[in-house]
Amino acid sequence: MDADELIALVGRGDQKAFEALYDQVSRPVFGLVLQVVRDASQAEEVAQEVLLDVWRLAPRFDPGRGSAMSWVLTLAHRRAVDRVRSARAAGEREQRDAERAAAPAFDQVAEAVEAGLERDWVRRCLDALTPVQRQSVTLAYYDGFTYREVAHRLDLPLGTVKTRMRDGLTRLRKCLGGAA
């Protein structure tokens, strides 16, 4: 029996006819699907889905619109294209999600910009100090030395370093608008 006769019987629920139709169309279906999806395991899955569709949709087959083989291969092609589109869309979604995850959040960008502006502001205010004030403040606050260690490094009396620090911090506070 040819595929057109078999599909009519399959449409009436004949399992033996489906087995015979399966034997005729399974290889062409797999081959077509494999050409579209280009992955053997995916092609097997899609071919199986197509053959289930053939069993389920056989009552809808209209011989006036074409041959049974054309109808089955059309189902196979559509299903394969759907699988490729679905996989591509999933890949694009994953790519977008990865890009979103890698891109810093707006708050992080804003914070980084703000921190950079604050650093520039502090540098300008440090530049406004006298060289001896700037040296004392830098050693204490940026290099982490105690006032006693700053005095030792600069070979100055501790009282002189404390005065320079107090005057330098007062000028910084004024420059920074009372924020320091």
Side-chain angles (χ1 to χ4, degrees):
M1 255 188 243
D2 71 355
D4 291 328
E5 295 168 324
L6 290 171
I7 199 127
L9 294 172
V10 172
R12 289 186 228 123
D14 186 332
Q15 290 182 356
K16 292 279 186 204
F18 181 72
E19 290 174 17
L21 181 64
Y22 182 96
D23 290 340
Q24 286 185 21
V25 300
S26 61
R27 291 185 77 121
V29 165
F30 177 77
L32 175 65
V33 171
L34 182 60
Q35 285 180 337
V36 175
V37 299
R38 301 196 184 278
D39 176 78
S41 62
Q42 291 278 331
E44 287 175 11
E45 285 181 32
V46 172
Q48 182 123 22
E49 292 169 6
V50 169
L51 292 165
L52 287 173
D53 284 346
V54 168
W55 173 256
R56 194 172 43 84
L57 300 175
R60 295 187 192 169
F61 172 70
D62 180 4
R65 297 183 71 192
S67 71
M69 185 60 89
S70 296
W71 181 73
V72 170
L73 292 176
T74 299
L75 289 175
H77 187 262
R78 287 180 182 160
R79 182 66 78 138
V81 168
D82 287 347
R83 177 65 64 99
V84 169
R85 286 179 181 157
S86 176
R88 184 176 298 138
E92 289 171 357
R93 268 193 310 278
E94 288 174 9
Q95 178 69 27
R96 282 192 306 271
D97 291 345
E99 288 170 359
R100 265 190 231 116
F106 175 76
D107 289 345
Q108 291 173 329
V109 172
E111 288 173 10
V113 168
E114 189 174 328
L117 292 172
E118 287 175 357
R119 271 193 305 276
D120 291 344
W121 189 13
V122 169
R123 277 193 200 107
R124 280 194 303 274
C125 289
L126 277 171
D127 288 343
L129 299 179
T130 65
V132 291
Q133 290 171 339
R134 182 174 42 254
Q135 186 179 34
S136 298
V137 169
T138 301
L139 285 171
Y141 285 93
Y142 288 102
D143 296 335
F145 293 111
T146 64
Y147 285 12
R148 188 173 307 281
E149 291 169 333
V150 171
H152 180 70
R153 281 194 83 118
L154 297 177
D155 197 27
L156 293 171
L158 181 60
T160 303
V161 168
K162 286 182 178 181
T163 301
R164 287 180 180 177
M165 292 294 296
R166 184 191 69 235
D167 293 346
L169 292 175
T170 300
R171 287 182 72 179
L172 275 175
R173 187 176 297 114
K174 286 180 185 174
C175 180
L176 294 171

